[in-house]
Amino acid sequence: MSPARADLAAELERLRAARLYRAPRLLEGPQGPRPRIDGRELLAFCSNDYLGLANHPRVIAAFQRGAETYGVGSGASHLITGHSAAHRALEEALAEFTGRPRALLFATGYLANLGVISALAGRGDWICEDRLNHASLLDGALLSRARLRRYAHGDPRALARRLAEGGVRLVATDGVFSMDGDLAPLPELAALARNADAWLLVDDAHGLGVLGAEGRGSLAHCGLGPEEVPILVGTLGKALGTAGAFVAGSEELIETLIQRARGYIFTTAPPPALAVATRESLGIARRESWRRERLRALIRRFRAGAAELGLPLMDSATPIQPLIAGTVEQALAWSRDLEAQGILVSAIRPPTVPEGASRLRITFSAAHGEQDVDRLLEALGRLRPGVTKTTGP
Ligand SMILES: *Cc1c(COP(=O)(O)O)cnc(C)c1O
């Protein structure tokens, strides 16, 4: 329940007492494995800049060129005068990259999911979603006014039972789950959705750039195309190192979104320079497969070392390697212990993850080196296993 106007202070106090209070950390320079944060250089394992492109000199140069050509602001929404040649070129590059007829840019992944779901489902429909889907997919269902059924995480049989009840218009899932790092059972989900004549939407925010040949993502990794998965959502702020998102699919799907997706229609188009920068980073991500190989080697090294230490790893083959702490207290204590050793891994707490599943969400980047992984393992080996009592947020 939301606090009444007079109760905001008490509600904030309650969050503090439950150790669920959140505040952003202050970065004083670019994204990278060693950011300066709150005045101190830390070795960080919590960004989604998986390929190390957020601060790449060629992406920066493209951004600058883009600003010189197009200025900074786009000035209007896409459908008024905000849609530039740079946006169109990026949409064409993304369509080609994903092997689909068309792609449509959105300002953020959050907006893309709100836009596409509420454009395709409405009052009287049902939407099925994995229990651990990203918040934007759940919020999109709420906004659509369709009714939402959530199925057990990664469980095609649970989805089948839901579908059998009828009326399902759309099934949505993360490709790679953002907090667990595991892959959705995409071939099974695709077969079920097709049989039920429902749309399948895969949000590949954490697979794109990382999995599959040239980083084409979870679908390529599973050998699935537009026939099996008609709606692909990708984000640009993670492995591609810039910002924004896209939906890729058929000509008719994209034209429908242009007419109906409010998250596309009623918002200012992102800066054209950002599209120029993203086209550059997309090229680097595709060509430089050593970045994906480096990532895989770092993940292998980490998992082998963590197993030796007896750490409770989850079953993830992606750069997202969560360490389940359980209680909020324990996750915060671990995070603070690591920070005392110069390492930044943020604690993830409810409501981002379920009650009792608080964790350290460790992520790797191609910008990390083997010695960074070793330093992390050493620090993890020194963590105290029991709950550490601490004070202050
Ligand atoms: C990050 C993320 C989003 C949101 O994308 P933004 O561009 O950051 O708004 C959507 N879906 C998933 C699975 C994500 O991890």
Side-chain angles (χ1 to χ4, degrees):
M1 218 163 61
S2 309
R5 188 171 154 191
D7 297 341
L8 288 189
E11 166 67 8
L12 290 173
E13 201 36 61
R14 188 192 67 75
L15 287 173
R16 244 185 241 284
R19 313 196 60 77
L20 295 173
Y21 202 88
R22 301 165 173 217
R25 305 293 301 260
L26 195 65
L27 236 77
E28 288 152 32
Q31 193 55 244
R34 283 171 201 75
R36 260 193 94 70
I37 292 183
D38 297 323
R40 181 169 166 231
E41 187 184 293
L42 293 168
L43 176 59
F45 294 92
C46 35
S47 109
N48 301 314
D49 180 24
Y50 302 123
L51 299 179
L53 297 179
N55 189 36
H56 192 291
R58 292 229 308 279
V59 179
I60 297 169
F63 197 36
Q64 289 166 335
R65 260 197 332 275
E68 274 154 24
T69 309
Y70 294 97
V72 176
S74 72
S77 64
H78 281 284
L79 289 174
I80 307 298
T81 57
H83 189 64
S84 71
H87 294 120
R88 153 119 32 122
L90 177 58
E91 286 178 340
E92 288 173 356
L94 289 167
E96 195 271 318
F97 177 56
T98 58
R100 286 157 190 262
R102 292 277 297 274
L104 188 69
L105 288 173
F106 282 78
T108 69
Y110 188 87
L111 263 183
N113 283 332
L114 294 194
V116 67
I117 294 174
S118 56
L120 298 178
R123 228 184 273 284
D125 298 326
W126 285 91
I127 294 172
C128 286
E129 299 205 15
D130 188 289
R131 243 179 213 297
L132 297 189
N133 270 359
H134 190 263
S136 55
L137 292 167
L138 301 168
D139 293 359
L142 290 178
L143 185 66
S144 76
R145 296 185 175 85
R147 281 167 298 179
L148 175 64
R149 290 170 181 155
R150 298 168 78 181
Y151 58 88
H153 174 56
D155 185 351
R157 279 175 313 185
L159 172 62
R161 284 194 296 275
R162 295 292 190 202
L163 289 170
E165 293 163 26
V168 176
R169 177 61 60 92
L170 182 133
V171 177
T173 182
D174 284 22
V176 170
F177 286 88
S178 54
M179 294 300 136
D180 290 52
D182 57 334
L183 203 67
L186 294 172
E188 290 87 345
L189 300 181
L192 287 169
R194 240 161 91 121
N195 272 338
D197 206 17
W199 290 101
L200 176 60
L201 181 165
V202 173
D203 174 350
D204 207 20
H206 298 277
L208 219 74
V210 171
L211 297 176
E214 291 187 26
R216 287 175 200 264
S218 308
L219 302 185
H221 177 81
C222 297
L224 299 171
E227 279 298 303
E228 292 88 2
V229 181
I231 310 171
L232 169 63
V233 175
T235 64
L236 309 173
K238 287 162 183 159
L240 293 180
T242 59
F246 67 92
V247 178
S250 70
E251 184 69 33
E252 294 75 19
L253 172 69
I254 298 305
E255 284 301 317
T256 301
L257 295 180
I258 292 172
Q259 316 310 314
R260 292 177 56 99
R262 295 167 68 87
Y264 175 80
I265 300 168
F266 295 109
T267 196
T268 301
L274 197 54
V276 178
T278 304
R279 209 145 60 89
E280 185 68 34
S281 73
L282 177 62
I284 299 171
R286 293 181 70 168
R287 277 193 310 276
E288 299 191 359
S289 50
W290 66 263
R291 292 178 188 271
R292 278 175 288 282
E293 280 149 28
R294 158 86 64 88
L295 256 180
R296 273 196 294 276
L298 296 176
I299 294 163
R300 261 200 311 277
R301 190 177 186 90
F302 172 74
R303 288 187 67 87
E308 234 166 74
L309 291 170
L311 297 173
L313 277 183
M314 291 179 72
D315 190 15
S316 162
T318 68
I320 303 167
Q321 294 289 330
L323 215 55
I324 296 292
T327 63
V328 169
E329 262 312 316
Q330 182 67 85
L332 288 171
W334 279 354
S335 179
R336 215 177 344 254
D337 267 13
L338 289 176
E339 193 163 333
Q341 303 184 57
I343 291 180
L344 183 71
V345 181
S346 44
I348 308 283
R349 295 167 277 172
T352 307
V353 292
E355 209 66 55
S358 289
R359 66 196 64 187
L360 296 182
R361 178 179 180 267
I362 297 166
T363 55
F364 294 100
S365 161
H368 284 123
E370 292 187 341
Q371 69 286 2
D372 295 332
V373 174
D374 295 347
R375 245 190 88 193
L376 171 65
L377 285 166
E378 237 175 74
L380 289 171
R382 282 200 287 266
L383 287 185
R384 286 157 287 168
V387 175
T388 320
K389 279 276 172 233
T390 45
T391 51

